[in-house]
Amino acid sequence: MSTYASSLQDAQKRIEHLRKEIEHHRFLYYTLSAPDLSDAEFDALYHELEDLETRYPDLITEDSPTQKVGAVPSTDFKEVRHKIAMLSLSNAMSETDLEHWQDRLVKALDGEIEPTDLKYVVEHKIDGLSIALTYEDGVLVRGATRGNGESGEDVTGNLKTIKGLPIKLKPVPIRDDGTFALDDDKCPSRMPRSIEVRGEVYMPISSFSELNQGLIEENGQGFANPRNAASGSLRQKDPRVTAKRKLAVWTYFIYILDPELKAPASQYQNMRLLQALGLPVEPNRRLVDDLDGIKQFIDEWSVTRHGLDYQTDGVVVKLDDRTIWTRLGATSHSPRWAIAYKYPPEEAETRVLDIVFDVGRTGAVTPTAMLDPVKLAGTTVKRATLHNADQIKRLDVRIGDTVLVRKAGEIIPEIVCVKFDKRPADSSPFVYASTCPACGSQLIKANDEVVLRCLNYYNCPAQKTRRLIHWVSREALDIEGVGESLIADLVAKEMVSTPADFYELTADRLLTLERMGKKSAQNILDALQASKTRTLAQFIFGLGIRHVGASTADLLANHFGSLEALSAAAALGEDDLSNAQAIAGIGPVTWKNVVEFFALEQNRHLLARLRELGVEPVSVDAGANRDLPQTLAGMSFVITGTLNSIDRLEAEKAIKARGGKASGSVSKKTTYLVVGDSPGSKLAKAQELGITIIDEAAFLELLA
Ligand code: IVH
């Protein structure tokens, strides 16, 4: 056999193997939202296949994953055919790949255009899931996922629950000749008849952390990263579940389908048009003149992107001039006029020093790997979550193993895989805990849960401590100066066991603690006193009822108005769902937990004691004092760094109480950036956008 023939056969075998693997992982990723390869590992498989197919073009088949986009749509939603196929983008893995892309462009344009004549729009590549939105006469009539690129799933109902996504657009200035006149305020405005908008649905990192914390506490399992959380949340059968998940959208492309209108001449104008229509557009896009401009954007953002509240996995570079697009055309997979530059994977290798168990406030026992500290995405990582026993088994991770760690959602590091070739010879499989590490009681797996639980609810010191930490947390009773280590001390000395015990502490008793001075003791007592009149929602959240997160607590507080009314409704029993069903978003499982909580003697006793001790939640948010003059109405504030005289949450409450808006990220709409000590990347961003920057003193003056 000739060498060519044998290598052709080898290539054929390898290609078939790679195709199967890629299809399998695409199915896990797109359809099940549960990938088990890192992005970098998946990309490596895909690139190997692409390379082999370039070397052996005869082996390319129509059904090869390189010739198709995305994966099969899941069957739960109605299928919709896209009016315009949803293409993907080709990738650039390095700056050299970007240079080659530009060379190809210049070549394809046959020397008609000099590289110096090309302009590019550089945008963040949002790591979410792409959607197509159809607006007719300015009204959102359909939204679909990408699916296989030709047809996707109709998720209109779920998309409509996303707060930042307008269901109705704003009219825009249009001239008689059908061109848009965004800079001409004299030109009359009207609504385009038919447009299709492309964008990315994502879960803000802050919402992701909150959601996952709850899910892990409840089920011992959360989403692997914000993208999976977004995908899982958008594809919920019940839109009320999606509504609770706090998704967001950035839009980045528009097709004008109204034959009487003329599409803007460039991508930059496209983005302005999207914004003028009232659609959310990521604010950091930039129009640049050349490759250097693209590289500069990448350099500037490769680290600072971690300060954004959404994950980006690269930048998308688009040729600005629309007339060139049609001349360049597209492959079956992607348009030639755009490319996605992917950041190198942020993964690091380290060793597992130990595997320890944490006990949550509802008794969920979850494992954490203690790591040899390693630098990753700008921080030092010392711990990685392992979620549950199933995950440890699946990864087969053991103490002493070398592992690959990655950050999911920028915050929680996780173990991607074990480097088996580096496993020590004397390693033995990890034995999962069977008893509670805090109280020694037998761990139980309830019903179909993945998580093991310690059922010693009232006496397990770890559960007590966690519940107390939850009670003092910001979203609950917001008790400043009472932190984890103080609570651990108080529990160890048996001075506090339930939230009510906090309110019986005296200065003398506090002073028996080590390192406690008179002033700190008084501050603690003052903070406890102040916490007696928090809102009803904060109080309900603070009780730590399973499944009752901050937003559910809000719903319950708004619906019932008082603790008495809530407990009276709960006393009717779990079969009496009428009350719960009347509150959109509260399902039978949550209600069952509420009923069980109020049925327990110990809990009723706790509530009675709290009342006796003067803890009286108020139904209306005291922060939103309606009597205050609305001096900050129409203004939007962002705070960065630490303020000295007021903490961030209080500052935000004060802004809202005066009619202003407090936001987490700087955009063109920001009126003031308030800068405290050690400000973050928001400062640079505000400077770039020309936002007014004020210090703490100026801020306090505005409040006064
Ligand atoms: S443009 C024809 N712009 O990345 C227009 N895509 O790898 C194609 N994505 O399928 C998309 N941020 O889901 C574009 N600023 C951005 C993007 C973006 C994220 C996603 C999108 C696309 C995928 C390609």
Side-chain angles (χ1 to χ4, degrees):
M1 209 190 285
S2 74
T3 342
Y4 176 75
S6 80
S7 55
L8 183 73
Q9 261 182 8
D10 288 347
Q12 171 92 42
K13 262 203 203 143
R14 182 70 190 153
I15 284 177
E16 276 165 21
H17 172 77
L18 287 169
R19 284 179 186 159
K20 270 199 199 129
E21 281 284 291
I22 290 169
E23 289 295 356
H24 168 68
H25 290 294
R26 277 191 160 174
F27 177 75
L28 292 181
Y29 180 103
Y30 287 108
T31 310
L32 301 184
S33 303
D36 68 354
L37 276 192
S38 72
D39 286 1
E41 287 165 324
F42 179 85
D43 287 346
L45 291 178
Y46 195 87
H47 285 307
E48 190 187 341
L49 178 61
E50 270 186 334
D51 275 355
L52 279 172
E53 288 183 341
T54 317
R55 288 206 334 254
Y56 302 94
D58 290 347
L59 298 181
I60 299 180
T61 53
E62 240 176 63
D63 64 352
S64 172
T66 56
Q67 310 300 305
K68 297 191 289 177
V69 197
V72 279
S74 117
T75 47
D76 289 350
F77 292 91
K78 207 173 77 202
E79 190 180 327
V80 270
R81 276 198 81 72
H82 298 302
K83 277 196 202 125
I84 304 158
M86 288 185 81
L87 296 184
S88 184
L89 293 174
S90 53
N91 290 337
M93 309 308 281
S94 62
E95 295 192 346
T96 319
D97 284 357
L98 286 173
E99 284 161 21
H100 290 160
W101 174 65
Q102 197 191 47
D103 293 346
R104 286 200 300 276
L105 292 181
V106 173
K107 207 164 141 206
L109 294 168
D110 226 8
E112 284 168 49
I113 288 178
E114 291 296 315
T116 45
D117 292 336
L118 299 174
K119 279 196 168 50
Y120 307 88
V121 176
V122 197
E123 299 162 20
H124 282 305
K125 183 169 178 330
I126 311 299
D127 197 8
L129 64 151
S130 46
I131 41 151
L133 306 162
T134 308
Y135 282 91
E136 268 159 26
D137 294 319
V139 177
L140 177 62
V141 290
R142 192 165 52 247
T145 62
R146 179 165 71 181
N148 61 12
E150 296 292 329
S151 51
E153 301 158 320
D154 185 335
V155 286
T156 318
N158 287 348
L159 281 169
K160 283 184 178 168
T161 69
I162 300 180
K163 264 200 191 131
L165 184 70
I167 293 178
K168 196 157 174 17
L169 298 176
K170 292 187 198 152
V172 286
I174 300 176
R175 297 190 191 92
D176 288 343
D177 66 357
T179 54
F180 292 95
L182 299 178
D183 293 312
D184 182 354
D185 12 308
K186 294 205 187 72
C187 179
S189 287
R190 63 184 158 105
M191 204 65 101
R193 285 233 303 276
S194 172
I195 61 169
E196 182 161 322
V197 173
R198 297 282 164 86
E200 203 83 355
V201 172
Y202 66 93
M203 183 173 286
I205 294 170
S206 48
S207 319
F208 169 75
S209 320
E210 192 189 321
L211 171 70
N212 249 19
Q213 219 177 356
L215 289 177
I216 291 168
E217 174 69 35
E218 295 300 338
N219 317 313
Q221 202 166 15
F223 285 105
N225 52 48
R227 183 188 49 219
N228 290 353
S231 166
S233 304
L234 187 65
R235 295 152 86 241
Q236 288 287 328
K237 283 198 184 130
D238 182 352
R240 289 181 303 186
V241 178
T242 309
K244 283 210 281 184
R245 293 285 175 86
K246 301 191 186 146
L247 295 172
V249 175
W250 289 129
T251 59
Y252 44 65
F253 204 71
I254 180 165
Y255 292 100
I256 309 289
L257 305 176
D258 189 335
E260 285 160 22
L261 298 184
K262 296 195 178 63
S266 68
Q267 170 63 3
Y268 200 72
Q269 294 302 328
N270 267 341
M271 299 293 260
R272 290 192 59 205
L273 175 58
L274 286 168
Q275 205 165 10
L277 287 163
L279 286 154
V281 180
E282 207 282 332
N284 299 298
R285 64 190 176 280
R286 194 181 294 169
L287 183 63
V288 302
D289 291 328
D290 51 20
L291 268 178
D292 281 344
I294 301 173
K295 289 179 189 168
Q296 198 180 338
F297 185 95
I298 294 171
D299 285 348
E300 275 174 35
W301 281 102
S302 63
V303 176
T304 37
R305 70 194 170 105
H306 296 297
L308 298 170
D309 197 22
Y310 32 93
Q311 268 194 315
T312 66
D313 58 344
V315 303
V316 178
V317 186
K318 298 172 186 168
L319 264 183
D320 190 40
D321 186 344
R322 188 171 56 91
T323 53
I324 307 180
W325 299 348
T326 20
R327 278 159 61 198
L328 288 169
T331 68
S332 61
H333 171 78
S334 49
R336 292 199 179 85
W337 47 267
I339 194 161
Y341 168 86
K342 296 283 258 311
Y343 291 113
E346 286 186 297
E347 291 176 340
E349 233 180 71
T350 186
R351 240 164 46 85
V352 176
L353 303 178
D354 197 3
I355 296 177
V356 299
F357 290 91
D358 289 321
V359 186
R361 73 185 144 82
T362 61
V365 174
T366 48
T368 301
M370 306 305 287
L371 305 171
D372 200 0
V374 62
K375 274 252 182 266
L376 179 63
T379 57
T380 303
V381 169
K382 296 184 193 129
R383 298 157 63 93
T385 166
L386 283 165
H387 302 300
N388 53 48
D390 289 357
Q391 206 204 7
I392 295 188
K393 223 189 266 164
R394 190 173 61 75
L395 291 167
D396 182 21
V397 58
R398 304 173 181 189
I399 296 169
D401 270 344
T402 299
V403 292
L404 198 61
V405 284
R406 167 179 66 192
K407 279 204 182 171
E410 313 287 330
I411 306 148
I412 327 152
E414 64 174 14
I415 294 179
V416 181
C417 63
V418 172
K419 296 278 163 187
F420 291 111
D421 52 336
K422 296 192 178 160
R423 172 168 280 174
D426 60 351
S427 119
S428 52
F430 180 71
V431 183
Y432 206 81
S434 59
T435 55
C436 172
C439 72
S441 61
Q442 197 69 31
L443 298 181
I444 306 288
K445 201 176 223 172
N447 306 326
D448 50 355
E449 285 193 332
V450 213
V451 69
L452 284 175
R453 282 182 197 278
C454 160
L455 299 185
N456 187 13
Y457 187 81
Y458 287 103
N459 295 316
C460 173
Q463 286 194 57
K464 271 191 217 170
T465 309
R466 284 276 140 209
R467 276 199 296 278
L468 295 168
I469 292 172
H470 180 70
W471 179 262
V472 303
S473 67
R474 283 180 159 216
E475 282 190 290
L477 281 279
D478 191 14
I479 304 174
E480 221 178 308
V482 182
E484 295 199 15
S485 66
L486 176 66
I487 290 179
D489 275 357
L490 292 167
V491 172
K493 297 239 159 64
E494 295 186 357
M495 285 162 70
V496 173
S497 168
T498 77
D501 300 334
F502 278 130
Y503 301 93
E504 286 187 327
L505 287 171
T506 58
D508 288 346
R509 300 206 68 199
L510 282 170
L511 285 170
T512 62
L513 296 173
E514 269 170 52
R515 299 183 307 274
M516 177 65 67
K518 267 195 182 149
K519 179 135 199 316
S520 313
Q522 193 50 49
N523 287 344
I524 290 169
L525 294 176
D526 291 346
L528 284 166
Q529 186 61 31
S531 77
K532 287 182 174 176
T533 48
R534 296 286 182 240
T535 66
L536 179 59
Q538 284 177 290
F539 184 94
I540 296 173
F541 176 63
L543 293 175
I545 305 170
R546 276 181 70 187
H547 287 281
V548 179
S551 49
T552 306
D554 255 349
L555 290 175
L556 289 168
N558 289 336
H559 183 79
F560 290 102
S562 73
L563 198 61
E564 290 67 31
L566 170 61
S567 96
L572 293 175
E574 81 184 68
D575 293 334
D576 186 89
L577 270 173
S578 55
N579 268 311
Q581 278 169 339
I583 320 168
I586 295 190
V589 178
T590 305
W591 186 243
K592 183 169 177 270
N593 282 295
V594 174
V595 171
E596 277 173 7
F597 181 90
F598 283 95
L600 275 175
E601 179 52 38
Q602 285 98 326
N603 292 336
R604 286 214 299 272
H605 180 66
L606 168 68
L607 294 172
R609 268 189 72 211
L610 283 168
R611 203 175 316 118
E612 277 164 25
L613 291 161
V615 186
E616 290 277 359
V618 285
S619 316
V620 182
D621 189 344
N625 186 340
R626 306 240 143 72
D627 297 329
L628 275 177
Q630 303 292 289
T631 45
L632 306 183
M635 299 183 193
S636 170
F637 288 77
V638 176
I639 301 173
T640 181
T642 318
L643 302 180
N644 292 313
S645 53
I646 181 168
D647 81 7
R648 188 179 299 212
L649 207 72
E650 287 301 327
E652 290 179 356
K653 272 190 192 166
I655 293 167
K656 288 181 197 157
R658 289 159 180 78
K661 258 184 67 182
S663 155
S665 57
V666 175
S667 76
K668 276 194 182 148
K669 289 193 192 136
T670 309
T671 324
Y672 291 111
L673 178 79
V674 184
V675 180
D677 294 342
S678 337
S681 63
K682 289 171 194 164
L683 178 57
K685 170 88 180 294
Q687 282 164 338
E688 197 184 300
L689 291 175
I691 305 296
T692 310
I693 295 164
I694 56 173
D695 61 12
E696 185 172 344
F699 174 59
L700 293 176
E701 240 176 68
L702 273 177
L703 288 184

